[in-house]
């Protein structure tokens, strides 16, 4: 039986899989914890391995973790642990690594995850939801993107980076949990479910999905319910004169940029961008790889108005 859950919506689970999870805002940030809880409630075997503190904007930096002498973010671990990695002893799926986001993903994939999975490797890597958007020009600097790129390229694990436009930092134990944190968790869970249901291989090689959620406008009652959001296939960087065609969809062979998608206000707004990223250079992947993703996400994706 599934654990009791605060989430309004739980996908009809096809199968639980082994998921490694990271972020760059820190292991004790609420967005990553809400998503973790959602994946657990949906029946996935998920393990979090994330930086001990906020390491936003650290791109693909990766150095060996070093002993920690101060408390973790929001006092989430004791000072003077003198340990390079640590965990929540009562919830050992929750782990911190005293280094950069990519390092925490690497440890999660190589060491921490397999300890939970009888030595098996993760089947999917997810990152975030990041606190704040990771669109186009910010993509190369994002640690959240860095972890997904590392997982997909260096480790060969299909990977998805999630980011939410609504900002404001929240400790893991914020009570009650603000709406934006559960909405982003549920949306990310919907995409994971869709990708898993479409079967293996979950994504083409050397590809990660860069997913950006628009603002949850609680005061206006806009984009507050997962049913109000719409998913659109996008590209990361605007096409230049030398860019090849994109996959043919929505009556064109040029995808909208992710910035265009999340800023779209017509048709009720609340559009989510899903870009197929090339893990070799953090730009938009080829139309052939876009096509694989388009087919996998059929039924979920829609067109801009
Ligand atoms: C992390 O730090 C960056 C700046 O370095 C800041 O913009 C961001 O809001 C912080 N995030 C969290 C979750 O504290
Ligand atoms: C550790 O896990 C316990 C039990 O799930 C929870 O009550 C506590 O808030 C967690 N602390 C951190 C820092 O994760």
């Amino acid at each position: 039986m599934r654990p009791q859950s605060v989430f309004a919506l739980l996908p009809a689970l096809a199968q639980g899989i082994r998921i490694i999870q990271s972020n760059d805002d820190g292991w004790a940030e609420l967005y990553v914890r809400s998503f973790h809880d959602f994946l657990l409630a949906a029946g996935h075997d998920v393990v979090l391995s994330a930086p001990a503190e906020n390491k936003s904007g650290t791109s693909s930096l990766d150095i060996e973790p070093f002993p920690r002498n101060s408390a973790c973010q929001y006092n989430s671990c004791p000072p003077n642990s003198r340990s390079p990695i640590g965990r929540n002893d009562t919830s050992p799926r929750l782990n911190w690594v005293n280094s950069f986001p990519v390092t925490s993903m690497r440890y999660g994939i190589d060491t921490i995850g397999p300890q939970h999975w009888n030595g098996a490797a993760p089947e999917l890597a997810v990152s975030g939801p990041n606190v704040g958007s990771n669109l186009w020009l910010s993509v190369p600097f994002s640690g959240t993107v860095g972890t997904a790129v590392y997982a997909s390229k260096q480790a060969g694990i299909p990977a998805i980076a999630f980011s939410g436009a609504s900002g404001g930092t929240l400790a893991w134990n914020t009570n009650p949990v603000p709406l934006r944190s559960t909405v982003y968790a549920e949306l990310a869970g919907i995409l994971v479910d869709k990708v898993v249901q479409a079967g293996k291989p979950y994504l083409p090689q050397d590809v990660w999905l860069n997913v950006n959620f628009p603002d949850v406008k609680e005061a206006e009652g806009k984009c507050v319910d997962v049913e109000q959001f719409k998913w659109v296939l996008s590209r990361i960087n605007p096409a230049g004169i030398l860019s090849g065609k994109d996959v043919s969809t929505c009556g064109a062979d040029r995808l909208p940029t992710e910035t265009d998608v999340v800023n779209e206000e017509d048709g009720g707004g609340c559009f989510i961008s899903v870009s197929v990223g090339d893990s070799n250079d953090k730009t938009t992947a080829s139309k052939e790889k876009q096509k694989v993703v388009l087919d996998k996400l059929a039924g979920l994706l829609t067109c801009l108005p």
Side-chain angles (χ1 to χ4, degrees):
M1 218 182 85
R2 291 183 190 182
Q4 286 269 313
S5 162
V6 299
F7 299 105
L9 184 152
L10 279 180
L13 187 71
Q15 57 183 142
I17 64 162
R18 294 183 301 278
I19 300 179
I20 191 73
Q21 186 190 14
S22 192
N23 76 345
D24 74 3
D25 293 305
W27 83 306
E29 188 59 37
L30 184 59
Y31 280 7
V32 82
R33 296 297 186 94
S34 292
F35 185 27
H36 183 86
D37 292 346
F38 185 87
L39 291 172
L40 263 187
H44 292 295
D45 200 349
V46 57
V47 172
L48 173 70
S49 174
E53 62 192 334
N54 181 8
K55 289 285 184 188
S56 201
T58 54
S59 185
S60 293
L61 293 178
D62 180 4
I63 62 165
E64 280 310 294
F66 45 97
R68 186 158 186 99
N69 297 318
S70 54
C72 299
Q73 173 185 37
Y74 308 128
N75 254 324
S76 58
C77 80
N80 293 316
S81 64
R82 301 195 206 294
S83 175
I85 61 178
R87 65 178 192 185
N88 182 326
D89 283 327
T90 48
S91 291
R93 291 174 182 277
L94 305 172
N95 299 268
W96 55 262
V97 172
N98 193 37
S99 186
F100 291 107
V102 166
T103 315
S104 68
M105 180 60 97
R106 177 163 64 82
Y107 264 74
I109 290 171
D110 292 348
T111 311
I112 297 169
Q115 285 168 358
H116 288 262
W117 302 319
N118 295 319
E123 296 163 277
L124 182 69
V126 296
S127 196
N130 187 73
V131 180
S133 302
N134 278 308
L135 300 161
W136 183 27
L137 289 173
S138 59
V139 164
F141 304 101
S142 162
T144 295
V145 168
T147 66
V149 166
Y150 171 84
S152 55
K153 183 169 162 58
Q154 275 81 14
I157 311 284
I160 311 176
F162 296 99
S163 303
S166 292
T169 58
L170 297 165
W172 89 96
N173 53 1
T174 304
N175 195 7
V177 175
L179 186 70
R180 63 186 192 276
S181 196
T182 46
V183 166
Y184 288 156
E186 290 182 12
L187 289 170
I190 288 170
L191 188 65
V192 165
D193 195 54
K194 187 75 183 169
V195 165
V196 170
Q197 277 186 26
K200 290 185 176 175
Y202 292 138
L203 291 172
Q205 272 202 328
D206 291 339
V207 149
W208 97 98
L209 299 186
N210 196 48
V211 179
N212 275 276
F213 304 126
D215 255 321
V216 171
K217 297 174 181 162
E218 211 175 340
E220 299 160 54
K222 215 179 150 197
C223 315
V224 291
D225 183 340
V226 292
E227 310 293 337
Q228 293 171 315
F229 290 83
K230 288 145 286 184
W231 306 75
V232 174
L233 197 66
S234 55
R235 46 179 297 126
I236 296 172
N237 48 306
I241 223 156
L242 298 176
S243 307
K245 287 181 177 172
D246 289 320
V247 66
S248 234
T249 184
C250 299
D253 49 24
R254 180 58 73 218
L255 295 172
T257 63
E258 47 194 16
T259 310
D260 287 342
V261 171
V262 296
N263 289 340
E264 180 63 60
E265 290 289 344
D266 290 348
C270 312
F271 289 97
I272 299 167
S273 66
V274 182
S275 297
V276 186
D278 181 344
S279 305
N280 293 304
D281 61 5
K282 302 187 185 178
T283 65
T284 302
S286 68
K287 67 174 193 299
E288 290 76 19
K289 291 184 174 180
Q290 293 170 353
K291 172 82 169 96
V292 175
V293 174
L294 178 71
D295 291 343
K296 281 181 176 285
L297 302 185
L300 182 68
L301 293 173
T302 181
C303 303
L304 283 183

